[in-house]
């Protein structure tokens, strides 16, 4: 320690020069993937006379940087009696390569696990994965999407990969969601792209309350009571019949 008398590390601080992640280029698809980074740690002493800085030693683990004895700084000399002289001088520059633990893009936690949706397509391309060593692997989805990997449309009325709105069927079920095509599957007795038109044959039947117009195998339509309703005279009444599962 006696050989390094004038270390003042705080003065100019520790400069970090980050190099590009070399592991990322050759990286193969894996469930775990590290992209440790090589970091060039640089430390510089306070400015002093070039003769003195030439004889200083770098701290343990550090090496002298190539750029030495360059008159690139200035320091003041106190001659006493309030007399200060500003002098051009040198500082000792030391470097050290260090490895910093990092995950490749699309991987998270200390173990560098793959983000939801896969590292090549994190969050299915519809969100941002909180990746990196300190990340928790959650997807922050764009407003139109939801789900662990942003794999679902946020809205019930949205369909298709772009989650476009407009999936609505008046008397039917819409093929919604990211794999849906927006088409309606109409309940019995209804037709039209939005299932909003009554099948003409049903219209003329004029099925009453609590009924459903059902197409029979013969192709003709009849009025049937909805499940849970019973035919009493000509109407269907809400007298619950026990549901029998077969
Ligand atoms: C580290 O940085 C210093 C100063 O920027 C430079 O002189 C040195 O060549 C670098 N070392 C490596 C291994 O990149
Ligand atoms: C992950 O981190 C984000 C932001 O820090 C937070 O909002 C979210 O709740 C976290 N998720 C889990 C599953 O911990
Ligand atoms: C259908 O129900 C409504 C309201 O409950 C009632 O006013 C109407 O009379 C019913 N129609 C028939 C045909 O029973």
């Amino acid at each position: 320690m006696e050989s390094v008398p004038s270390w003042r590390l705080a003065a100019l601080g520790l400069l970090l020069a980050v190099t590009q992640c070399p592991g990322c280029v050759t990286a193969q698809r894996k469930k775990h993937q590290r992209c440790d980074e090589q970091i060039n740690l640089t430390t510089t002493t306070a400015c002093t006379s070039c003769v003195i800085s030439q004889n200083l030693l770098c701290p343990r683990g550090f090496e002298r940087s190539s750029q030495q004895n360059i008159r690139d700084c200035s320091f003041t000399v106190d001659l006493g009696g309030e007399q200060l002289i500003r002098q051009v001088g040198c500082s000792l520059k030391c470097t050290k390569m260090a490895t910093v633990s990092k995950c490749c893009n699309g991987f998270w936690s200390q173990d560098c696990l793959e983000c939801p949706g896969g590292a090549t397509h994190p969050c299915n391309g519809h969100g941002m994965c909180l990746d990196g060593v300190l990340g928790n692997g959650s997807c922050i989805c764009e407003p139109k999407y939801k789900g662990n990997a942003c794999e679902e449309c946020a809205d019930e009325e949205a369909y298709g990969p772009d989650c476009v709105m407009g999936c609505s069927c008046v008397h039917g079920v819409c093929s919604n969601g990211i794999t849906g095509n927006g088409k309606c599957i109409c309940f019995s007795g209804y037709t039209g792209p939005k299932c909003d038109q009554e099948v003409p044959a049903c219209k003329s039947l004029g099925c009453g309350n609590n009924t459903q117009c059902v197409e029979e195998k013969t192709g003709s339509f009849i009025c049937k009571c909805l499940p849970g309703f019973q035919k009493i005279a000509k109407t269907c009444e809400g007298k619950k019949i026990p549901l029998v599962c077969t």
Side-chain angles (χ1 to χ4, degrees), residues 163-205:
C163 290
V164 294
M165 294 294 285
C167 207
S168 66
C169 311
V170 182
H171 297 287
V173 179
C174 183
S175 163
N176 65 356
I178 215 147
T179 56
N181 60 9
K183 296 241 167 77
C184 292
I185 298 160
C186 298
F187 294 141
S188 180
Y190 291 94
T191 185
K194 294 271 165 210
C195 304
D196 52 353
Q197 295 155 35
E198 223 177 330
V199 169
C202 288
K203 207 167 185 177
S204 60
L205 274 176

Side-chain angles (χ1 to χ4, degrees), residues 41-239:
L41 294 171
T42 307
T43 178
T44 308
T45 58
C47 194
T48 181
S49 116
C50 290
V51 179
I52 293 173
S53 92
Q54 214 170 355
N55 293 314
L56 293 174
L57 293 178
C58 284
R60 189 185 291 272
F62 281 79
E63 283 178 8
R64 274 174 171 263
S65 143
S66 47
Q67 327 142 347
Q68 293 300 338
N69 270 46
I70 301 166
R71 292 173 179 272
D72 56 359
C73 59
S74 70
F75 63 104
T76 51
V77 184
D78 189 353
L79 297 179
E82 293 184 2
Q83 259 200 298
L84 291 175
I85 306 177
R86 184 158 283 272
Q87 290 234 304
V88 174
C90 299
S91 59
L92 175 65
K93 297 157 194 80
C94 304
T95 70
K96 173 188 177 179
M97 295 306 285
T99 304
V100 174
S101 175
K102 286 222 166 184
C103 295
C104 301
N105 288 339
F107 292 85
W108 62 281
S109 82
Q110 294 291 337
D111 298 328
C112 294
L113 303 171
E114 204 170 21
C115 277
T120 51
H121 212 214
C123 310
N124 287 291
H126 301 308
M128 189 191 70
C129 178
L130 299 175
D131 62 2
V133 170
L134 300 177
N136 63 12
S138 292
C139 283
I140 308 291
C141 299
E142 290 164 13
K144 284 201 288 181
Y145 299 87
K146 66 172 185 183
N148 184 40
C150 309
E151 77 282 20
E152 290 175 56
C153 292
D155 200 291
E156 286 273 300
E157 291 194 8
Y159 68 94
D162 297 325
C163 290
V164 294
M165 294 294 285
C167 207
S168 66
C169 311
V170 182
H171 297 287
V173 179
C174 183
S175 163
N176 65 356
I178 215 147
T179 56
N181 60 9
K183 296 241 167 77
C184 292
I185 298 160
C186 298
F187 294 141
S188 180
Y190 291 94
T191 185
K194 294 271 165 210
C195 304
D196 52 353
Q197 295 155 35
E198 223 177 330
V199 169
C202 288
K203 207 167 185 177
S204 60
L205 274 176
C207 295
N209 290 341
N210 313 323
T211 65
Q212 196 178 13
C213 182
V214 180
E215 186 174 9
E216 290 196 298
K217 281 187 186 128
T218 57
S220 59
F221 287 83
I222 57 154
C223 298
K224 262 194 170 176
C225 289
L226 284 171
F229 292 87
Q230 212 174 12
K231 194 147 199 157
I232 294 171
K234 277 191 161 181
T235 60
C236 290
E237 300 296 334
K239 189 178 165 190

